[in-house]
Amino acid sequence: MILGLENELLAGVSSPEKRPHVQRVIMELLQTLRRHIPCVLNAEQPNTSPGIMLGNNGSRIYVDGPSYLECATPEVRTPEEVLAYQRANEWLVLEGLI
């Protein structure tokens, strides 16, 4: 059995007038992640989605819409491994926000 997970991480704002800033915040987060996570940019599809990063563990973090990031785990064999990689992805994103 091979398992994997994709998860959207939404960036929200407290008021409608701040909505135009969400995309800028997401791009700044991706730049921070690139500086701190060993990764490679997706060379096969460079124009598909800005900010696609492939982590050295096979995870991907990328912009998949105007206000959210997508995190994908590598393909693994057990539910425990999926959970571990998903929690690691979430931790990396949270650390990038601090």
Side-chain angles (χ1 to χ4, degrees):
M1 173 172 37
I2 297 177
L3 304 168
L5 181 67
E6 288 186 354
N7 191 27
E8 286 90 17
L9 302 172
L10 182 66
V13 294
S14 58
S15 62
E17 60 269 5
K18 293 182 180 179
R19 195 167 290 134
H21 302 289
V22 171
Q23 183 115 24
R24 181 183 54 80
V25 169
I26 289 173
M27 296 312 287
E28 287 175 7
L29 173 60
L30 281 173
Q31 289 172 359
T32 300
L33 292 172
R34 280 193 195 123
R35 285 193 301 270
H36 299 289
I37 301 171
C39 65
V40 294
L41 296 178
N42 186 348
E44 292 178 10
Q45 300 172 333
N47 299 319
T48 56
S49 178
I52 291 177
M53 298 186 312
L54 305 173
N56 62 356
N57 65 7
S59 293
R60 295 187 313 142
I61 299 174
Y62 56 98
V63 177
D64 196 30
S67 62
Y68 62 92
L69 293 175
E70 178 107 8
C71 292
T73 67
E75 294 175 341
V76 295
R77 300 260 181 210
T78 68
E80 292 83 8
E81 288 177 298
V82 172
L83 182 60
Y85 281 115
Q86 182 59 31
R87 292 291 182 242
N89 285 346
E90 291 170 2
W91 181 83
L92 289 171
V93 170
L94 289 173
E95 284 294 309
L97 291 172
I98 295 175

